[in-house]
Amino acid sequence: EDQVTQSPEALRLQEGESSSLNCSYTVSGLRGLFWYRQDPGKGPEFLFTLYSAGEEKEKERLKATLTKKESFLHITAPKPEDSATYLCADPLPGYALNFGKGTSLLVTP
Amino acid sequence: NAGVTQTPKFQVLKTGQSMTLQCAQDMNHNSMYWYRQDPGMGLRLIYYSASEGTTDKGEVPNGYNVSRLNKREFSLRLESAAPSQTSVYFCASSDPDRSDQPQHFGDGTRLSIL
């Protein structure tokens, strides 16, 4: 069974303190690995799609990387506005998404 | 740009009542999805519609029905609500003909069943 596991469940950082979130997956023949950000009371907002091992994508303070079994979301010098839940997912048949449970990030001033 | 619009935003029901959650998208996407999100469980797929006129079950379809009314609209119906269906429901849409395009989500319907 395809599983997507995220760690840690929760992470508290000081402003400027860089760190990484992990997403591991078990499916073979990956057809994409998606990262989303979700703010309280809102729907998930798309960040990145990665397709092949070694691929990297960046957006502001975020950089997503992909290996054969896991993906990392690196957060460099985070700001309080980066506080959110970060979700990763891989595709199911029919192009629906199989989500991990998310990492709740809190960045304090 | 509206994107994916869900109505209502909040709803409280009594056990046994029925209701329909509405979803509409204005991005001309072929595929639409319904997920539920519960604490500690993440987002789970209820039903999806790969294209107009088709619907398929997801991971947790029991107690729900869906209708793909047209290309824009995809509704989710609870025929006899149960407390276990208390959740936040998200609708999403995508265009799978473009593999680089992600799913776009609405802001959810928060449903409480008493």
Side-chain angles (χ1 to χ4, degrees):
Chain A
E1 181 182 326
D2 177 18
Q3 290 190 342
V4 175
T5 305
Q6 292 189 246
S7 61
E9 290 186 13
L11 182 62
R12 182 179 181 126
L13 299 174
Q14 291 260 325
E15 185 172 3
E17 179 186 2
S18 301
S19 188
S20 297
L21 313 182
N22 177 264
C23 172
S24 63
Y25 56 92
T26 59
V27 69
S28 59
L30 186 70
R31 294 183 295 118
L33 191 290
F34 296 83
W35 281 99
Y36 282 81
R37 168 190 171 128
Q38 186 175 24
D39 293 299
K42 298 291 187 180
E45 178 185 351
F46 172 74
L47 292 173
F48 305 109
T49 309
L50 302 167
Y51 288 101
S52 57
E55 188 175 1
E56 299 184 352
K57 289 189 176 176
E58 291 188 61
K59 180 179 181 179
E60 296 182 354
R61 294 174 294 281
L62 301 177
K63 182 169 77 173
T65 62
L66 184 67
T67 71
K68 288 186 177 180
K69 287 297 182 186
E70 57 190 350
S71 178
F72 293 93
L73 185 65
H74 307 279
I75 304 176
T76 302
K79 298 181 178 181
E81 52 262 42
D82 295 321
S83 298
T85 295
Y86 291 87
L87 304 168
C88 71
D90 65 7
L92 293 168
Y95 295 92
L97 293 175
N98 180 33
F99 281 90
K101 295 180 181 180
T103 293
S104 177
L105 174 66
L106 176 65
V107 182
T108 58
Chain B
N1 293 336
V4 178
T5 302
Q6 293 184 236
T7 56
K9 295 187 186 304
F10 302 93
Q11 185 71 49
V12 179
L13 293 178
K14 294 181 179 179
T15 297
Q17 288 185 316
S18 63
M19 82 160 294
T20 300
L21 280 61
Q22 307 286 354
C23 175
Q25 51 92 9
D26 62 2
M27 293 171 284
N28 200 37
H29 286 163
N30 287 315
S31 299
M32 298 185 73
Y33 314 85
W34 277 106
Y35 295 86
R36 61 178 288 175
Q37 187 174 39
D38 303 291
M41 297 296 294
L43 281 151
R44 292 181 292 169
L45 182 68
I46 305 172
Y47 271 94
Y48 67 99
S49 171
S51 60
E52 188 177 354
T54 69
T55 61
D56 286 286
K57 296 178 180 179
E59 180 185 356
V60 288
N62 292 344
Y64 305 96
N65 288 301
V66 290
S67 295
R68 183 73 182 268
L69 304 171
N70 48 55
K71 190 172 184 178
R72 290 187 64 248
E73 298 172 288
F74 188 38
S75 63
L76 179 72
R77 183 163 178 83
L78 287 70
E79 292 290 352
S80 178
S84 61
Q85 294 177 305
T86 293
S87 189
V88 182
Y89 292 85
F90 289 100
C91 177
S93 70
S94 70
D95 186 353
D97 291 338
R98 295 187 57 183
S99 61
D100 60 329
Q101 295 301 300
Q103 289 187 16
H104 297 264
F105 285 79
D107 281 338
T109 294
R110 282 142 190 85
L111 182 61
S112 293
I113 316 295
L114 305 178

